[in-house]
């Protein structure tokens, strides 16, 4: 089944690539993808200010502290987006191992006391001059780059256990193990889900994926049962109303706020959840204030923008001119899809709380910067034609070899002439 899906993607890619060429023979980058991302970022800024203004005015220097901080991160992220848009995405597969090594090193360093900073009981951040940085966000993008490089390189050998399955399990497993040391259970689940999705569409055997799923479920059970705070989250998920005054407080208040929203909500700025009833309303639970203040209409707008972004991202993947670009765009887009669904499921009580942001909308500097950079990569994939780098490299090598033999021939002729004279 996965092989059929891969063939379908390849056929779509070939048709799309030929149909998306401009009259001058150059591909145009996907402006609609940029539009949907820009709309999501703008939507997020408006709701971030609405969610955080009261809290910021009480606890911080001004009511717009979080808004200004997020705006700075967006400006930096847009700069990286522009860079990624101009930087040929095929260089990532040439730099994949240095990128992977650097990411693993960051994940190791952040777990060391004195280097990594503890917030909310987890050592997940670096702090440099008052600025925090979360390497888990880098790890997600690095994992996609590595997976896209590996599965595109192995192609028809993906059905092999030792070639197409085990190496990916080892590398991603190493990253997940380092994430769990922080601990970061939510990012670990996203990373594993992304890996399995890419393995599935690239042709890995379904039996391998099924066994991995069963083993992963067992390991997840062990990780949850041996952690008090994870067990509390499960209890809060199963019955938030019985634990409304303690571990189920956040999710129960979120559900109350959403339930009181109606068709058009209480009105922008008029939500009650931001008065201290729903913790982290500007972060993981920003979906709650969108539903409370803008109602069903606001949620439909959010979902429409998000689905539009995913549609354009997958379209770029289907139209990519090579397998690496296809898997890279597919993996990045799937990363946003998985994390977006996980966040909204948590907000509505369909999943236990995981500490995952809503991409492009929630407050979070590292997430916003890396997400915008990743979108720049997808935009670059949408504008690139066939890769001629390897052909040009081989041509240069042939020319060097030709010149070497020409010099050798001239030297032989010169020595012959010297002997005759």
């Amino acid at each position: 089944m996965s092989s059929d899906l891969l063939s379908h993607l390849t056929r779509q890619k070939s048709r799309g690539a030929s149909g998306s060429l401009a009259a001058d023979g150059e591909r145009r980058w996907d402006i609609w993808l940029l539009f949907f991302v820009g709309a999501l970022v703008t939507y997020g800024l408006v709701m971030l200010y609405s969610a955080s203004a009261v809290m910021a005015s009480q606890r911080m220097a001004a009511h717009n502290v979080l808004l200004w901080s997020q705006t700075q991160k967006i400006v930096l992220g847009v700069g990286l987006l522009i860079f990624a848009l101009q930087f040929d995405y095929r260089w990532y597969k040439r730099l994949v191992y240095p990128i992977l090594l650097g990411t693993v090193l960051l994940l190791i360093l952040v777990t060391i006391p004195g280097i990594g900073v503890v917030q909310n009981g987890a050592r997940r951040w670096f702090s440099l001059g008052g600025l925090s940085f979360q390497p888990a966000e880098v790890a997600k993008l690095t994992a996609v780059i590595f997976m896209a490089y590996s599965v595109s390189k192995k192609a028809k050998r993906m059905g092999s256990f030792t070639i197409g399955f085990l190496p990916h399990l080892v590398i991603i497993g190493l990253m997940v193990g380092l994430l769990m040391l922080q601990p970061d259970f939510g990012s670990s689940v996203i990373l594993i889900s992304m890996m399995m999705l890419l393995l599935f569409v690239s042709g890995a055997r379904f039996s391998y994926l099924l066994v991995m799923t069963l083993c992963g479920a067992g390991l997840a059970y062990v990780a949850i049962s041996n952690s008090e705070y994870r067990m509390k989250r499960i209890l809060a998920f199963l019955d938030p109303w019985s634990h409304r005054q303690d571990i189920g407080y956040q999710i129960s208040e979120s559900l109350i706020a959403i339930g009181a929203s109606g068709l058009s909500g209480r009105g922008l700025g008029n939500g009650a959840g931001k008065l201290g009833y729903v913790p982290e309303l500007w972060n993981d639970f920003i979906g709650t204030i969108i539903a409370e203040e803008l109602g069903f209409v606001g949620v439909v707008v959010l979902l429409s923008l998000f689905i539009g972004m995913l549609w354009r991202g997958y379209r770029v993947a289907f139209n990519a001119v090579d397998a690496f670009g296809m898997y890279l765009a597919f993996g990045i887009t799937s990363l946003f899809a998985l994390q977006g669904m996980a966040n909204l499921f948590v907000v509505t009580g369909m999943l236990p709380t995981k500490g995952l942001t809503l991409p492009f909308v929630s407050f979070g500097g590292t997430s916003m910067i890396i997400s915008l950079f990743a979108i720049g990569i997808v935009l670059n994939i949408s504008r690139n034609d066939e890769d001629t780098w390897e052909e040009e490299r081989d041509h240069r090598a042939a020319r060097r070899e030709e010149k070497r033999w020409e010099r050798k021939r001239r030297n032989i002729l010169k020595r012959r002439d010297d002997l005759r004279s």
Side-chain angles (χ1 to χ4, degrees):
M1 179 178 180
S2 56
S3 298
D4 292 340
L5 179 57
L6 178 61
S7 299
H8 173 69
L9 291 176
T10 306
R11 289 195 299 271
Q12 289 288 90
K13 173 203 71 172
S14 301
R15 288 197 296 267
S18 60
S20 60
L21 292 175
D24 57 0
E26 294 182 356
R27 288 163 58 89
R28 303 178 185 275
W29 52 275
D30 196 320
I31 193 171
W32 280 106
L33 174 61
L34 189 61
F35 166 78
F36 285 119
V37 171
L40 280 170
V41 170
T42 304
Y43 199 25
L45 279 177
V46 173
M47 299 314 301
L48 168 64
Y49 179 70
S50 180
S52 65
V54 174
M55 180 279 299
S57 62
Q58 294 174 348
R59 304 181 192 176
M60 301 178 182
H63 59 87
N64 61 349
V65 170
L66 294 188
L67 176 65
W68 175 240
S69 175
Q70 186 77 339
T71 302
Q72 291 176 311
K73 305 305 187 301
I74 291 172
V75 170
L76 179 56
V78 169
L80 290 175
L81 183 152
I82 295 172
F83 167 79
L85 177 59
Q86 302 299 324
F87 186 76
D88 191 339
Y89 71 91
R90 284 168 287 244
W91 277 99
Y92 298 112
K93 69 178 178 181
R94 298 159 196 156
L95 300 172
V96 62
Y97 289 113
I99 294 172
L100 186 61
L101 181 62
T103 300
V104 170
L105 182 61
L106 287 175
L107 292 176
I108 293 173
L109 289 175
V110 79
T111 61
I112 300 175
I115 299 179
V117 176
V118 177
Q119 294 182 20
N120 299 324
R123 195 181 303 277
R124 301 177 186 173
W125 291 267
F126 294 114
S127 182
L128 302 171
L131 300 176
S132 60
F133 174 74
Q134 190 174 5
E137 299 298 331
V138 179
K140 295 173 188 175
L141 181 56
T142 297
V144 173
I145 293 173
F146 166 74
M147 289 294 300
Y149 163 77
S150 184
V151 300
S152 63
K153 181 181 178 182
K154 292 169 182 176
K156 295 181 179 180
R157 296 179 294 171
M158 285 301 300
S160 167
F161 177 80
T162 55
I163 297 176
F165 186 79
L166 186 59
H168 306 108
L169 184 61
V170 171
I171 298 297
I172 302 300
L174 172 63
M175 298 174 73
V176 168
L178 292 172
L179 286 171
M180 290 298 291
L181 291 178
Q182 298 178 9
D184 190 345
F185 189 73
S187 294
S188 299
V189 171
I190 294 296
L191 218 57
I192 293 172
S193 301
M194 181 278 302
M195 178 192 72
M196 293 185 65
L197 186 59
L198 275 175
L199 287 176
F200 175 73
V201 300
S202 61
R205 289 181 181 270
F206 183 76
S207 57
Y208 299 158
L209 298 176
L210 179 60
V211 171
M212 180 182 170
T213 301
L214 296 175
C215 293
L219 291 174
Y221 172 79
V222 173
I224 293 171
S225 61
N226 291 331
S227 172
E228 183 180 357
Y229 87 93
R230 291 194 190 107
M231 281 300 299
K232 288 182 177 180
R233 286 186 173 186
I234 295 296
L235 291 174
F237 161 69
L238 294 175
D239 190 4
W241 308 109
S242 297
H243 303 277
R244 185 180 171 187
Q245 301 305 319
D246 41 70
I247 56 177
Y249 177 79
Q250 187 178 34
I251 184 60
S252 59
E253 291 298 323
S254 174
L255 293 174
I256 291 173
I258 293 172
S261 61
L263 180 63
S264 57
R266 299 176 183 269
L268 184 63
N270 296 325
K274 62 189 177 186
L275 301 179
Y277 294 105
V278 184
E280 302 292 331
L281 195 58
W282 54 89
N283 197 348
D284 304 345
F285 277 73
I286 198 167
T288 300
I289 196 169
I290 292 174
E292 183 186 19
E293 295 190 352
L294 304 181
F296 178 76
V297 174
V299 173
V300 169
V301 171
L302 173 67
L303 292 178
S304 298
L305 292 175
F306 209 82
I307 291 172
M309 184 265 293
L310 297 178
W311 163 52
R312 300 307 296 190
Y314 284 126
R315 186 177 184 275
V316 170
F318 297 158
N319 292 339
V321 296
D322 63 353
F324 175 68
M326 178 179 67
Y327 288 122
L328 184 56
F330 185 88
I332 290 173
T333 306
S334 297
L335 203 60
F336 294 140
L338 291 168
Q339 185 156 329
M341 286 190 297
N343 176 274
L344 294 176
F345 283 177
V346 167
V347 166
T348 52
M350 299 170 67
L351 280 177
T353 53
K354 293 182 178 296
L356 294 170
T357 59
L358 182 60
F360 306 107
V361 180
S362 294
F363 177 77
T366 311
S367 174
M368 180 64 74
I369 292 169
I370 298 299
S371 295
L372 288 173
F373 177 68
I375 287 296
I377 295 175
V378 178
L379 288 172
N380 183 264
I381 295 171
S382 73
R383 68 177 292 184
N384 266 288
D385 292 327
E386 295 288 347
D387 187 11
T388 60
W389 181 81
E390 292 184 357
E391 181 180 343
E392 292 171 356
R393 180 197 62 187
D394 294 340
H395 178 70
R396 289 193 298 268
R399 288 297 303 272
R400 287 195 299 269
E401 186 69 12
E402 182 181 347
K403 290 179 179 179
R404 187 176 72 84
W405 279 105
E406 180 62 24
R407 286 194 301 268
K408 187 174 181 179
R409 188 183 70 84
R410 286 199 299 266
N411 290 335
I412 292 173
L413 292 175
K414 183 180 179 181
R415 285 197 297 270
R416 186 194 66 182
D417 293 340
D418 291 342
L419 289 173
R420 287 180 177 178
S421 63

